[in-house]
Amino acid sequence: MYNYGIAIHGGAGTISKSLMSEEKEKTYVEALTKARDAGYAILRGGGSSIDAVVASVSSLEDCPLFNAGKGAVFNAEGSHELDASIMSGKALDAGAVAAVQGVKNPIQLAKLVMVHSDHILLMGEGALKFAKPYNVAMENAEYFHDDHRFNQWQRMKGSDDFQLDHSDKPKQYLGTVGAVALDSHGDLAAATSTGGMTNKKFGRIGDSPIIGAGTYANNNTCAISCTGSGEYLMKGVTAYDISCMMEYGGMSLYDASHQSINTHLLKLGGDGGVVGIDRKGNIVMPFNCEGMYRASKNRNASNVLIYKV
Amino acid sequence: MYNYGIAIHGGAGTISKSLMSEEKEKTYVEALTKARDAGYAILRGGGSSIDAVVASVSSLEDCPLFNAGKGAVFNAEGSHELDASIMSGKALDAGAVAAVQGVKNPIQLAKLVMVHSDHILLMGEGALKFAKPYNVAMENAEYFHDDHRFNQWQRMKGSDDFQLDHSDKPKQYLGTVGAVALDSHGDLAAATSTGGMTNKKFGRIGDSPIIGAGTYANNNTCAISCTGSGEYLMKGVTAYDISCMMEYGGMSLYDASHQSINTHLLKLGGDGGVVGIDRKGNIVMPFNCEGMYRASKNRNASNVLIYKV
């Protein structure tokens, strides 16, 4: 039996301990623990890595603390456009949605695209049309409303600024959630979901729904989910970059992920991090900024972390 | 001075010599020659590889023979959704648009996104809103109408089939145009543009606007533009796959591109091909299907080809 395990993230950025209250920290730790354990329970029961990452990411999407699903930030029009992608390392199947509105759990829709369509990436109204026969849970604007997000948007509305989530600096937009898992059958999977950037315009699509950039899984190498400055992760093709360093360069997951985040991404000028797992169950969670909401669990160890350790 | 050169493609697929008239072949050869020479003239004059690939791809977009710009196929709603992307190998800058309607030369809009926005990929109405201040040339439905494309669509309308262009088999959708170039300053660039698949639904986005999948350029390795079954090129992250085999595996452009197309893509079940150029000016144009419209030119040689040689 393979050494199954899971790692999740809830975004990275300028997460400063000095600005974090003890109570706020506790709510993050609880939410990350709950999301991680939702996926881990499936792995422990012999379930698939795909089901595990969908369960963990759905849990993060349902939590208003993270910029995905319910907690998605406001775009320039005051609405919420959601992106998500998923990939199976077994046959390299993948599915993704971009700029969908009103979908409670975009990661579940991405999985439907993977399983039931001939396509990988569906966007906007078209993706919702595809979703119709599958009774995907929809929510109204009230569900996605959050006072904190709304105020973030009000401060930038009408300007050319855009902002992430876990950052007080404009033009840093690092809010994303994701999960990677290895199941007991030896199959890897990765999933990523995001609400994009506060005040984003022009139908911008970031790295999260892009296979190779925000998400990648391959049983020969690893499963990766990224978070960070999306445009740099797209230029760096970061998720596949890590896989290629392993496949073509013979590197370990640890060395490849650290080189991609701390050398390649930094050189491009990008902030961010990844969670990754390989077929031996090795877990990595490197990032090149102040903090990354993250958690992992396998049969030997578990953790929930926010800052550098 | 670097050994500047250019390679272009006008799509790949089941292009059968037995179905091609002499006259039809001549029109393809003329169009490919014209597009190639438009880019080559810029390189010969000391211009940039970015300007060269934009000139060549614009020429292909203006020609009704190819599935991009004017020649774009009809989607399920009877309209035309255009995708394009461009990347500069110097600083890894990139720009792309997905599902834009009415834009005469989507590749020129992709370049504007690269140069003037903080983003890489803009879609649909949002991309058009971004385009407004730049006086991008727009065309009406009549410009994009073509009887041959219209009849292709009429045969499939209302069904679940979708089809490419250079193929009589449904579910093969290999129509794309693209160009790669090395300029005399040593900078690489790649560009790709497409009208997608006949009768495509659900806001499907293929590989053409995806950096790493359909397009990639990096002065350390190569410039690549793909054409073929988009979903497989996305799973294979084909353009970046070739670059990574060179960078991490120490392979030549020739070996890397042939392995990616004839081994990796075939193993996934995908049809297609690429044009590629490296910093020494080596040009490759491998494909794993019956034919690929293609042409190349440097100071030593030039060619225009359709079938296997």
Side-chain angles (χ1 to χ4, degrees):
Chain A
M1 190 168 70
Y2 283 83
N3 181 26
Y4 61 82
I6 192 161
I8 68 167
H9 68 76
T14 49
I15 305 167
S16 176
K17 197 173 169 66
S18 62
L19 295 170
M20 183 77 84
S21 69
E22 204 172 304
E23 194 188 0
K24 199 173 158 195
E25 198 172 297
K26 201 173 148 235
T27 61
Y28 274 104
V29 168
E30 281 171 2
L32 289 166
T33 305
K34 187 180 166 195
R36 180 198 68 188
D37 292 351
Y40 187 74
I42 289 170
L43 299 174
R44 197 180 44 204
S48 75
S49 53
I50 282 287
D51 288 344
V53 295
V54 168
S56 286
V57 169
S58 295
S59 175
L60 293 163
E61 285 175 340
D62 292 342
C63 173
L65 293 171
F66 305 105
N67 177 21
K70 182 169 172 51
V73 297
F74 286 82
N75 70 7
E77 279 81 40
S79 61
H80 305 275
E81 288 178 327
L82 312 171
D83 303 334
S85 65
I86 189 165
M87 188 163 186
S88 156
K90 196 178 182 179
L92 306 187
D93 289 324
V97 291
V100 294
Q101 298 201 5
V103 176
K104 182 170 181 276
N105 291 109
I107 197 62
Q108 295 176 19
L109 181 50
K111 188 190 165 191
L112 289 171
V113 173
M114 176 174 82
V115 174
H116 294 292
S117 91
D118 292 308
H119 305 311
I120 290 181
L121 175 54
L122 304 181
M123 64 162 217
E125 293 289 328
L128 297 185
K129 228 185 262 182
F130 164 81
K132 275 261 165 69
Y134 303 104
N135 295 314
V136 171
M138 301 296 290
E139 295 287 352
N140 59 22
E142 205 178 310
Y143 172 82
F144 293 102
H145 184 90
D146 177 89
D147 282 340
H148 170 64
R149 303 290 190 213
F150 187 74
N151 291 334
Q152 278 182 333
W153 174 54
Q154 288 295 308
R155 284 199 298 272
M156 278 184 287
K157 195 179 161 183
S159 79
D160 281 335
D161 275 351
F162 41 85
Q163 186 193 28
L164 162 244
D165 205 23
H166 317 305
S167 168
D168 287 328
K169 290 189 243 165
K171 306 216 176 186
Q172 292 213 7
Y173 29 91
L174 319 176
T176 311
V177 307
V180 294
L182 170 70
D183 64 33
S184 56
H185 317 288
D187 291 323
L188 292 168
T192 310
S193 180
T194 189
M197 313 178 313
T198 298
N199 208 36
K200 80 169 171 187
K201 293 194 290 193
F202 302 140
R204 175 257 189 186
I205 299 177
D207 63 298
S208 300
I210 307 295
I211 298 303
T215 302
Y216 188 74
N218 186 331
N219 279 1
N220 292 332
T221 53
C222 60
I224 300 288
S225 171
C226 298
T227 178
S229 36
E231 275 68 13
Y232 298 93
L233 295 163
M234 292 166 88
K235 292 195 241 185
V237 201
T238 300
Y240 193 53
D241 189 48
I242 295 168
S243 176
C244 285
M245 279 188 274
M246 295 175 68
E247 185 162 9
Y248 305 132
M251 291 171 74
S252 68
L253 173 62
Y254 183 91
D255 289 345
S257 62
H258 281 76
Q259 183 168 318
S260 194
I261 293 303
N262 293 313
T263 306
H264 301 176
L265 187 62
L266 262 191
K267 207 175 145 192
L268 287 170
D271 290 341
V274 305
V275 292
I277 189 166
D278 68 16
R279 226 180 177 197
K280 290 178 185 157
N282 294 308
I283 287 171
V284 294
M285 302 191 285
F287 55 98
N288 66 19
C289 42
E290 219 170 320
M292 180 166 83
Y293 298 109
R294 62 204 190 276
S296 72
K297 190 167 190 171
N298 62 20
R299 281 177 294 174
N300 312 315
S302 76
N303 60 27
V304 181
L305 298 161
I306 298 177
Y307 318 104
K308 292 254 184 219
V309 288
Chain B
M1 191 168 71
Y2 284 84
N3 182 27
Y4 61 82
I6 192 159
I8 68 167
H9 67 76
T14 48
I15 306 167
S16 177
K17 197 171 169 64
S18 61
L19 295 170
M20 182 79 82
S21 70
E22 205 173 304
E23 193 189 1
K24 199 173 159 194
E25 198 172 297
K26 201 173 147 237
T27 62
Y28 275 103
V29 168
E30 281 171 1
L32 290 166
T33 305
K34 186 180 167 194
R36 181 198 66 188
D37 291 351
Y40 187 74
I42 289 171
L43 299 174
R44 197 181 43 205
S48 75
S49 53
I50 282 287
D51 289 343
V53 296
V54 169
S56 287
V57 169
S58 295
S59 174
L60 294 163
E61 285 175 338
D62 291 343
C63 174
L65 292 171
F66 305 105
N67 178 22
K70 182 167 172 53
V73 298
F74 286 82
N75 70 7
E77 279 82 39
S79 60
H80 306 274
E81 287 178 328
L82 311 172
D83 303 334
S85 65
I86 189 165
M87 187 163 186
S88 156
K90 195 179 183 179
L92 306 187
D93 289 326
V97 291
V100 294
Q101 299 200 4
V103 177
K104 182 170 180 278
N105 292 109
I107 197 63
Q108 296 176 18
L109 181 51
K111 188 190 165 191
L112 289 170
V113 173
M114 176 174 80
V115 174
H116 295 292
S117 92
D118 293 308
H119 305 312
I120 291 181
L121 176 54
L122 303 182
M123 64 163 217
E125 292 289 328
L128 297 186
K129 229 185 261 180
F130 163 81
K132 274 261 165 71
Y134 303 103
N135 295 314
V136 171
M138 301 294 291
E139 294 287 353
N140 59 22
E142 206 177 310
Y143 172 82
F144 293 101
H145 183 90
D146 177 271
D147 283 341
H148 170 64
R149 303 289 190 215
F150 187 75
N151 291 333
Q152 277 182 333
W153 173 53
Q154 288 296 309
R155 285 199 298 272
M156 278 184 286
K157 195 179 159 182
S159 79
D160 282 335
D161 275 350
F162 40 85
Q163 185 192 28
L164 160 234
D165 203 23
H166 315 305
S167 168
D168 286 329
K169 289 189 242 164
K171 304 215 178 186
Q172 291 212 9
Y173 30 93
L174 318 175
T176 311
V177 307
V180 294
L182 170 70
D183 63 33
S184 56
H185 317 288
D187 291 323
L188 293 168
T192 310
S193 179
T194 189
M197 313 178 312
T198 297
N199 209 34
K200 79 171 171 186
K201 292 194 290 193
F202 302 142
R204 176 256 188 187
I205 298 176
D207 64 299
S208 300
I210 307 296
I211 299 302
T215 303
Y216 187 75
N218 186 330
N219 279 2
N220 293 331
T221 53
C222 59
I224 300 288
S225 170
C226 298
T227 178
S229 35
E231 275 66 14
Y232 297 94
L233 294 164
M234 293 167 86
K235 293 196 241 184
V237 202
T238 299
Y240 193 54
D241 189 48
I242 294 169
S243 176
C244 285
M245 278 188 274
M246 295 175 69
E247 186 162 9
Y248 305 132
M251 290 171 74
S252 68
L253 173 63
Y254 184 91
D255 288 346
S257 63
H258 280 77
Q259 183 169 319
S260 193
I261 294 302
N262 293 313
T263 307
H264 302 177
L265 187 61
L266 262 191
K267 207 175 144 190
L268 287 169
D271 289 341
V274 305
V275 291
I277 189 167
D278 67 15
R279 226 178 174 199
K280 292 179 186 156
N282 294 308
I283 288 172
V284 295
M285 303 192 283
F287 55 98
N288 66 21
C289 43
E290 219 170 320
M292 181 166 84
Y293 297 109
R294 62 203 189 278
S296 72
K297 189 167 190 169
N298 62 19
R299 282 177 294 174
N300 312 315
S302 76
N303 59 27
V304 180
L305 298 161
I306 299 178
Y307 318 104
K308 292 256 186 217
V309 288

